[in-house]
């Protein structure tokens, strides 16, 4: 199969693997973009299309469909932060986050949702973001949906997703179909390991090739270390070249100078870079209110084979439990299915020794539902905080308080009831003290008594948001509604770190739409063109 990345490189795309640099460098451009995920990719496309000289800086490697073997042992070390084992400071939450060209868009499960209207309304009321109305954002979402082939997924759901659909239907719970950003999908089910057929319309396959085709330069294995600034302007960016292992610095440094700097390193990486740089933060907001969508999991054994590794990972969802209370009341949650691959399944599953082995022997019959808890709206749900560790790399503190655990118990009960309604013969929350249950009556009683606390109840996440929140004024945020830093005029943040709360939905399309808007405004300013009409 044709590999478009290798074809592009052969045609003359500018790609520098910083691990091969023989000496330090100083580079000038119009715009430097740190990060190549959803925010960095969209920014590069729009800014390069305006005729600007763009340089992309990526800490991870450049990998493409020729490298995507559908093997976890290859994918996690190459494509994920900390080989897929990134955790919060107390190890209580495992965080799946991309670390490669395309970022998490290269390895996500393609689920695409617009920012919910009630979230935008909350941002307007609480953070003064009156410009970000449903009507104002709808055209930007539509543009990116068209560009990235976000479409209804008409293929029948795999057996794992059918559990959610059939159980919900029997209980009268509304179930919806998830739109996916795929084109010519083979329905393999290995989206989390990079798409081997180039069907997933990630930044790796769409916006970054477009920018490179216009002359942009891509640096990989290059860690953005520090922004330098004087007065109210950023004057440069210092980056550390990494060794071929992609972890340790080689000793070579790349200095960048530019008219404008775009930080799009994700909701852990972006605040960390700004903190390392010592940028103005008079209200001490940087890195705070970082949100994860804490996820709790329910595993079931079905009477027939499920083979949860085969077919689109996520194609069904339910928002039934998001709307049972006011948005700032008890935490709501979104229900989805999760794909099952041996390493991911075994390292998430509870238990050890023979108990763990017994569950692994049932792998082909296992089905898993997950609940995304919508944090950041209830006054007691304040998320976590990014700080710098001893090595100046980011650490995320994320306390799990009572408001989280109360929602987690409701979510575990809801998922167990759905799984039994779908015909499960055995259900267990992914929890070290849960024995597993053979009936809904037994599960309802058992889950009500489970101790819920860190490291005993498994919590995971693949959605990181906040830490550089946008607002109408500096006392409430780090950037304005355009992603422009309040104190440094030529610095923008273009990623999910600008969200002032979580979303309650998978975040990629929200990032695409917001960044398309803000990058278009920035491109017009830098290129001296009329600004796009913003409702």
């Amino acid at each position: 199969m044709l590999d478009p990345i290798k074809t592009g490189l052969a045609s003359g795309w500018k790609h520098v693997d910083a691990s091969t640099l023989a000496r330090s460098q100083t580079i000038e451009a119009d715009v430097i973009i740190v990060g190549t995920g959803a925010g960095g990719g969209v920014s590069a496309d729009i800014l390069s299309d305006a005729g600007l000289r763009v340089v992309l800086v990526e800490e991870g490697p450049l990998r493409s469909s020729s490298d995507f073997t559908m093997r976890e042992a290859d994918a996690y070390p190459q494509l994920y932060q900390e080989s897929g084992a990134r955790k919060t400071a107390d190890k209580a939450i495992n965080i799946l986050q991309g670390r490669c060209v395309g970022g998490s868009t290269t390895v996500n499960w393609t689920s695409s949702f617009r920012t919910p209207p009630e979230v935008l309304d909350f941002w307007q009321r609480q953070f003064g973001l009156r410009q970000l109305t449903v009507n104002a954002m709808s055209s930007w979402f539509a543009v990116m949906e068209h560009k990235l082939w976000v479409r209804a997924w008409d293929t029948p759901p795999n057996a794992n997703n059918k559990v959610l659909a059939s159980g919900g239907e029997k209980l009268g719970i509304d179930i919806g179909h998830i739109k996916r950003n795929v084109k010519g999908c083979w329905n393999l089910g290995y989206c989390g390991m990079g798409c081997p057929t180039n069907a997933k319309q990630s930044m790796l396959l769409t916006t970054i090739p477009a920018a490179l085709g216009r002359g942009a330069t891509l640096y990989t294995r290059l860690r953005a270390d520090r922004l330098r600034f004087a007065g109210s302007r950023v004057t440069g960016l210092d980056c550390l070249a990494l060794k071929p292992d992609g972890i340790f610095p080689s000793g070579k440094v790349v200095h960048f100078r530019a008219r404008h700097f775009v930080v799009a390193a994700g909701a852990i990486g972006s605040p960390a870079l700004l903190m390392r740089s010592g940028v103005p933060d008079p209200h001490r907001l940087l890195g705070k209110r970082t949100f994860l969508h804490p996820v709790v999991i329910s595993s079931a054994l079905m009477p027939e084979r499920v083979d949860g590794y085969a077919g689109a990972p996520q194609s069904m969802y339910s928002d039934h439990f998001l709307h049972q209370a006011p948005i700032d009341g008890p935490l709501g949650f979104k229900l989805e299915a999760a794909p099952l691959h041996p390493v991911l399944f075994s390292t998430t599953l509870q238990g050890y020794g023979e108990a763990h082995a017994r569950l692994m022997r049932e792998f082909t019959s296992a089905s898993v539902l997950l609940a995304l808890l919508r944090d950041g709206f209830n006054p007691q749900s304040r998320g976590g905080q990014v700080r710098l560790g001893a090595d100046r790399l980011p650490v995320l503190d994320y306390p799990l308080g009572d408001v989280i655990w109360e929602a987690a118990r409701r979510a575990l009960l809801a998922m167990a009831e759905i799984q039994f309604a779908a015909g499960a013969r055995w259900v267990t929350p992914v929890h070290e003290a849960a024995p597993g249950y053979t009936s809904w009556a037994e599960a309802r009683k058992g889950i009500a008594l489970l101790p819920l606390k860190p490291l005993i109840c498994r919590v995971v996440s693949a959605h990181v948001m906040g830490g550089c929140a946008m607002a109408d004024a500096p006392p409430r945020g780090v950037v304005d509604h355009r992603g422009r830093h309040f104190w440094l005029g030529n610095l923008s943040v273009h990623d999910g770190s600008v969200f002032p709360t979580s979303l309650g939905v998978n975040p990629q399309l929200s990032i695409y739409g917001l960044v398309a808007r803000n990058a278009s405004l920035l491109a017009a300013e830098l290129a001296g063109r009329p600004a796009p009409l913003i409702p």
Side-chain angles (χ1 to χ4, degrees):
M1 176 176 290
L2 181 69
D3 184 331
I5 300 300
K6 290 192 172 180
T7 300
L9 292 172
S11 73
W13 285 353
K14 299 173 186 176
H15 167 233
V16 179
D17 181 343
S19 70
T20 67
L21 291 176
R23 62 184 63 85
S24 297
Q25 299 181 347
T26 297
I27 305 295
E28 293 192 8
D30 290 320
V31 184
I32 307 298
I33 301 172
V34 179
T36 62
V42 172
S43 297
D45 184 17
I46 291 172
L47 293 166
S48 64
D49 192 43
L52 298 165
R53 294 174 300 151
V54 171
V55 174
L56 289 139
V57 175
E58 170 58 52
E59 185 179 58
L62 173 61
R63 294 288 184 263
S64 60
S65 54
S66 299
D67 305 301
F68 299 152
T69 63
M70 299 167 57
R71 296 183 67 248
E72 291 172 282
D74 296 331
Y76 299 151
Q78 291 186 32
L79 306 178
Y80 284 79
Q81 290 284 358
E82 301 175 43
S83 298
R86 170 168 273 187
K87 298 182 186 298
T88 51
D90 62 358
K91 314 301 182 188
I93 307 176
N94 195 65
I95 304 169
L96 292 175
Q97 195 174 23
R99 185 181 185 265
C100 57
V101 174
S104 293
T105 76
T106 299
V107 296
N108 70 22
W109 300 338
T110 77
S111 301
S112 302
F113 297 91
R114 294 187 179 191
T115 310
E118 65 270 21
V119 172
L120 293 174
D121 290 344
F122 187 88
W123 291 355
Q124 292 166 56
R125 295 194 311 272
Q126 298 297 320
F127 299 94
L129 297 169
R130 57 181 178 79
Q131 301 88 349
L132 304 184
T133 64
V134 173
N135 288 338
M137 290 304 301
S138 62
S139 59
W140 297 106
F141 290 137
V143 165
M144 295 310 298
E145 287 165 346
H146 177 76
K147 186 178 188 69
L148 301 178
W149 283 80
V150 175
R151 304 284 192 278
W153 178 246
D154 296 327
T155 302
N158 67 4
N160 194 34
N161 281 267
K162 283 181 182 176
V163 170
L164 176 56
S166 63
E169 181 180 352
K170 289 181 180 178
L171 295 173
I173 293 171
D174 289 337
I175 303 294
H177 294 264
I178 297 176
K179 292 182 177 180
R180 308 181 65 225
N181 61 313
V182 294
K183 181 181 179 182
C185 178
W186 291 21
N187 202 30
L188 297 176
Y190 286 74
C191 306
M193 290 163 234
C195 180
T197 67
N198 296 309
K200 185 194 298 186
Q201 301 299 289
S202 68
M203 301 298 93
L204 176 67
L205 198 70
T206 57
T207 58
I208 292 172
L212 293 174
R214 300 185 190 105
T217 302
L218 170 65
Y219 279 79
T220 56
R221 292 194 177 99
L222 188 64
R223 179 178 296 152
D225 182 57
R226 183 179 180 184
L227 292 160
R228 297 191 178 275
F229 57 95
S232 62
R233 294 190 64 80
V234 178
T235 58
L237 171 67
D238 297 339
C239 295
L240 306 178
L242 302 178
K243 294 179 179 179
D245 61 15
I247 299 173
F248 297 103
S250 67
K252 309 298 186 301
V253 178
V254 181
H255 304 279
F256 291 105
R257 298 172 184 158
R259 295 167 57 195
H260 202 92
F261 295 82
V262 173
V263 175
I268 292 177
S270 288
L273 172 58
L274 299 187
M275 285 189 283
R276 279 197 301 271
S277 306
V279 302
D281 183 27
H283 300 285
R284 298 183 181 274
L285 298 175
L286 194 54
K288 295 181 179 177
R289 288 186 63 81
T290 300
F291 298 102
L292 281 178
H293 285 158
V295 168
V296 291
I297 311 163
S298 185
S299 179
L301 297 179
M302 306 304 292
E304 65 285 330
R305 284 185 70 113
V306 173
D307 294 337
Y309 52 85
Q314 291 181 330
S315 58
M316 311 298 296
Y317 75 98
S318 177
D319 283 348
H320 176 82
F321 300 97
L322 276 178
H323 306 304
Q324 293 188 321
I327 194 169
D328 57 354
L331 273 59
F333 51 88
K334 186 184 197 75
L335 295 182
E336 296 175 340
L340 304 180
H341 297 280
V343 173
L344 184 62
F345 184 68
S346 64
T347 54
T348 305
L349 198 63
Q350 78 275 20
Y352 58 92
E354 175 54 30
H356 188 277
R358 184 171 62 253
L359 293 175
M360 286 302 298
R361 286 193 289 269
E362 297 265 25
F363 174 67
T364 58
S365 298
S367 173
V368 165
L369 297 183
L370 53 80
L372 305 169
L373 305 185
R374 185 171 62 184
D375 46 352
F377 299 88
N378 183 292
Q380 301 304 311
S381 174
R382 294 184 289 271
Q385 179 175 352
V386 175
R387 58 179 173 83
L388 298 179
D391 54 4
R392 302 202 325 141
L393 295 179
V395 177
L396 177 60
D397 291 311
Y398 209 94
L400 293 168
D402 291 344
V403 69
I404 294 284
W405 292 124
E406 185 277 332
R409 194 181 305 275
R410 284 187 284 112
L412 293 172
L413 285 164
M415 290 187 288
E417 184 176 16
I418 289 170
Q419 288 167 321
F420 278 118
R425 54 187 170 88
W426 186 83
V427 171
T428 182
V430 181
H431 184 294
E432 295 298 334
Y437 313 106
T438 57
S439 70
W440 165 232
E442 185 183 10
R444 182 170 52 191
K445 181 179 179 181
I447 293 171
L449 299 174
L450 283 177
L452 297 183
K453 56 184 180 179
L455 303 176
I456 293 180
C457 181
R458 185 80 75 244
V459 182
V460 301
S461 188
H463 305 157
V464 191
M465 299 151 284
C468 297
M470 55 183 169
D472 61 344
R476 298 203 286 182
V478 175
V479 299
D480 67 13
H481 66 93
R482 304 167 300 162
R484 300 293 283 270
H485 193 271
F486 279 122
W487 304 100
L488 296 170
N490 62 335
L491 175 64
S492 296
V493 182
H494 284 183
D495 59 21
S497 70
V498 304
F499 297 156
T501 63
S502 78
L503 304 173
V505 300
N506 308 60
Q508 70 164 343
L509 182 54
S510 292
I511 299 172
Y512 292 148
L514 182 62
V515 171
R517 171 191 188 270
N518 292 348
S520 296
L521 290 169
L522 177 60
E525 177 184 332
L526 295 178
R529 299 177 181 175
L533 294 176
I534 303 293

